[in-house]
Amino acid sequence: MAYRAAVAGVGLTEATSPRKQTRSTIELCQQAVQATLAHSGASPDSIDAIVTGNIDGFEGTVLGAKHVTRLLGIGADLPVTIVNTGGTTGGNLMQVAARMVRSGTHRRVLVLGGPTFFGSTDLQSAINTNSPMIIEQPLGMGGYHMGAFAASAYQERYGLTADDLAAVAVADHAKASRNPFAHLRYEMTPEEVLAGRPLSSPLTQPMVCPISTSAVAMLVADPEDVADLATTPALIKAMGMSADPYLGGGKGDFSRMQNLANLARRVYALADIRDPLGEFDAVEIFAPYAHMQPMQLEALGFAPPGGGIDLIRSGATDAGGTLPTNMSGGPKCTNAGVAGELAPYAYAALQVMGDAPASIQIPGARRSLGHGTGGSFFQFENLAIFESLARSN
Amino acid sequence: MTTTANTETAAPTQAVHWDLHYDIHLGETWSQFMEGLRQKKILATGCSSCVRVFVPPQAYCESCFEPTDGWRELPHEGTLEVFTVAWHGFTGGPQAPYAIGAIRLDGASTLLMHWVVGVDFTPGADVREQLPFGTRVRAVWAEERTGQILDIAHFEPVG
């Protein structure tokens, strides 16, 4: 009977634009799974369940990725659990797998996040189908239109400038340029970010994530049963998820991320985190739009309200700072749907395993934070805290 | 389904197109709301155990999990709390640019999302300077109303 769960292996594929992607969804998923097995050292027959999922309509299917699982090369008789929580599916995959292992019903669960943003010829059109029907869908909102409400309200309340938004995007691009698994691996200047095509005020295209194709997988295992594995597992010390109202108008206040702040309090208490800024060695947060990163840093207790941008501009969130954040370049530079939402957990786990790509590894990282958010108007939030297992023992 | 001969400049793909129609049942609460709109009334429900007033109406309070107990008509005016200008839309959506706002109708605890007019869409214009957050707005009714959210054509600044 296991009461703990750990990430014992991670597999990432390289990311590209849909146009350049020569592999199919199934081939990318196979590649991520094989990479996970290779990283963990686990034999395929030691895996006893798969958790995967997708987002309705985004791939031209509502199959929930069920069509992929038999083709992964790890056996035909594995139980499959499908998760579909819209944009947060990726983060919730790991949480479901961890609960299966913690409960003792499963020993090793493979978590698979596929390239959900792959096929749609106009992704904003697909996202609009997931916005609240009847009341809000007729108004014409895709993902970045919904995101722009928070950007506008936060700017109004705290004075965040366009230059501030550009600074966030510039920092993300600098980080992504060092990550071999990132999609947009080029640096940008603030002038280039500001001169980008306006999408939905105040956001320009370079302030918004790309549509990427990649797959991410991980192995969630019983940490007492890892003798045959090759990695230093990342213990999932604490985790949780939380939901807001579905209607955008139910949020009440777009200028703060109260739902995330509530969740952070709950998850920090589980892991006995009392000084968030001092207790994490690496943070990976799901901030596909530039304004989200300062807002999330505040909700997570790393900065006072309105102070997120000061933390970013201080260099604290860069490599070598006190709170290295999104060393991967984050979803602002690589966003492949379910794979993109699983990625923060994958990178946060890799950091404390000591197995992140050398160019983005924080030396000696022992505790990290992973975050996901998504759904219409970012209805759902999820968080997990990872610790290097050597420390917990 | 059609096959695209798109192999020279990009990875080969095959087109898939969905053309599906659905009739979504509004239920009792939203049916009443939509009938109100047809009659130029904005109807809301209130929680039976707290002070929250919901528009669009809800049968249950999301905070107390108690049923809402009674209908009330809200004024057609409120405060524009935030808006965004969609400079770039999407296939099948409204013609960009358009402005979508979150409006706090007087007496409502929730925001009502709807189109707002009164913004100059000249490229490069400071849209928020022209329509500051906090501007008072009122509903403009569509000539023909059929019991749907677009029976309110949009909201416009008062005065």
Side-chain angles (χ1 to χ4, degrees):
Chain A
M1 183 77 183
Y3 294 100
R4 303 196 300 173
V7 176
V10 171
L12 303 155
T13 72
E14 291 182 354
T16 72
S17 67
R19 186 180 161 79
K20 290 182 182 166
Q21 184 56 261
T22 56
R23 291 187 171 88
S24 68
T25 292
I26 289 171
E27 289 163 350
L28 283 168
C29 289
Q30 288 167 337
Q31 191 184 350
V33 168
Q34 293 306 315
T36 300
L37 293 175
H39 178 228
S40 65
S43 67
D45 62 8
S46 72
I47 292 166
D48 54 17
I50 301 176
V51 180
T52 188
N54 74 346
I55 309 174
D56 286 346
F58 281 28
E59 296 171 81
T61 78
V62 283
L63 289 168
K66 293 186 283 287
H67 56 308
V68 172
T69 52
R70 275 183 70 97
L71 301 172
L72 296 173
I74 51 169
D77 300 324
L78 293 175
V80 176
T81 300
I82 304 294
V83 177
N84 184 334
T85 52
T88 42
T89 299
N92 288 339
L93 296 176
M94 190 202 78
Q95 301 217 5
V96 170
R99 286 184 171 83
M100 291 164 71
V101 170
R102 283 178 173 184
S103 73
T105 58
H106 296 79
R107 175 186 176 216
R108 285 183 186 166
V109 181
L110 183 70
V111 174
L112 172 61
T116 320
F117 290 169
F118 208 151
S120 181
T121 53
D122 186 344
L123 184 64
Q124 300 307 316
S125 185
I127 292 174
N128 179 251
T129 67
N130 281 227
S131 84
M133 284 188 299
I134 319 295
I135 298 292
E136 293 177 356
Q137 195 177 94
L139 303 174
M141 285 178 276
Y144 52 70
H145 308 103
M146 296 184 201
F149 278 86
S152 299
Y154 181 75
Q155 277 196 319
E156 180 76 6
R157 182 157 178 176
Y158 295 109
L160 189 84
T161 65
D163 287 339
D164 291 333
L165 288 168
V168 177
V170 166
D172 279 346
H173 276 267
K175 292 167 185 170
S177 73
R178 298 191 289 268
N179 178 9
F181 296 104
H183 172 193
L184 302 185
R185 299 184 59 204
Y186 53 84
E187 299 213 41
M188 290 195 84
T189 65
E191 293 72 27
E192 287 169 332
V193 175
L194 292 170
R197 178 171 66 155
L199 291 182
S200 199
S201 63
L203 302 175
T204 64
Q205 188 160 348
M207 297 174 189
V208 169
C209 62
I211 297 169
S212 313
T213 60
S214 64
V216 177
M218 60 168 60
L219 181 66
V220 176
D222 174 357
E224 312 301 328
D225 182 18
V226 292
D228 59 320
L229 300 185
T231 51
T232 300
L235 179 70
I236 302 168
K237 181 75 174 174
M239 62 185 186
M241 37 178 109
S242 185
D244 244 3
Y246 175 53
L247 287 176
K251 297 285 178 292
D253 182 355
F254 284 103
S255 72
R256 56 171 63 186
M257 295 186 170
Q258 191 61 50
N259 186 29
L260 178 58
N262 295 347
L263 176 62
R265 257 202 309 276
R266 189 150 53 82
V267 173
Y268 288 173
L270 290 171
D272 199 25
I273 302 293
R274 300 173 189 211
D275 170 26
L277 194 55
E279 296 190 50
F280 291 106
D281 302 312
V283 173
E284 288 280 340
I285 53 182
F286 196 80
Y289 308 147
H291 65 280
M292 293 175 72
Q293 196 172 131
M295 293 181 74
Q296 289 163 347
L297 291 171
E298 294 163 23
L300 292 168
F302 298 127
I309 188 63
D310 299 328
L311 192 68
I312 293 167
R313 283 190 179 278
S314 76
T317 55
D318 294 331
T322 54
L323 190 76
T325 301
N326 287 13
M327 290 298 101
S328 65
K332 163 57 200 94
C333 292
T334 315
N335 190 357
V338 173
E341 288 274 359
L342 182 57
Y345 286 171
Y347 285 113
L350 283 170
Q351 286 288 355
V352 299
M353 297 170 86
D355 288 341
S359 49
I360 66 170
Q361 173 72 50
I362 301 301
R366 306 301 295 270
R367 186 187 287 124
S368 63
L369 180 68
H371 164 253
T373 181
S376 291
F377 284 97
F378 297 97
Q379 180 187 6
F380 300 109
E381 302 277 359
N382 55 64
L383 280 178
I385 295 170
F386 300 94
E387 287 184 1
S388 184
L389 195 61
R391 177 186 187 139
S392 295
N393 286 343
Chain B
M1 195 187 286
T2 55
T3 303
T4 55
N6 195 14
T7 54
E8 283 181 16
T9 56
T13 57
Q14 181 156 322
V16 171
H17 176 68
W18 287 6
D19 187 7
L20 305 172
H21 294 267
Y22 303 87
D23 285 323
I24 305 302
H25 285 248
L26 297 177
E28 294 174 3
T29 307
W30 279 6
S31 292
Q32 199 159 334
F33 175 64
M34 294 303 180
E35 176 56 21
L37 293 181
R38 206 180 59 75
Q39 299 174 25
K40 294 192 183 180
K41 293 177 182 171
I42 301 176
L43 298 177
T45 53
C47 175
S48 55
S49 77
C50 75
V51 298
R52 288 183 179 81
V53 174
F54 300 98
V55 63
Q58 298 184 184
Y60 278 81
C61 174
E62 246 170 297
S63 295
C64 307
F65 304 108
E66 296 290 339
T68 50
D69 70 346
W71 290 81
R72 62 206 73 192
E73 189 177 347
L74 294 184
H76 302 174
E77 282 191 21
T79 302
L80 176 63
E81 293 213 349
V82 55
F83 73 87
T84 183
V85 172
W87 294 108
H88 192 73
F90 52 84
T91 312
Q95 182 70 39
Y98 50 96
I100 314 149
I103 296 132
R104 181 96 54 192
L105 290 172
D106 294 345
S109 307
T110 55
L111 297 164
L112 182 67
M113 313 295 279
H114 216 297
W115 288 321
V116 288
V117 300
V119 187
D120 176 7
F121 292 136
T122 305
D126 183 338
V127 292
R128 248 183 279 161
E129 193 173 302
Q130 304 158 39
L131 194 61
F133 294 170
T135 295
R136 296 285 295 169
V137 292
R138 75 171 151 235
V140 176
W141 296 95
E143 288 285 314
E144 285 192 28
R145 293 180 304 282
T146 57
Q148 50 143 336
I149 192 67
L150 298 182
D151 284 357
I152 300 173
H154 52 253
F155 282 78
E156 66 175 8
V158 174

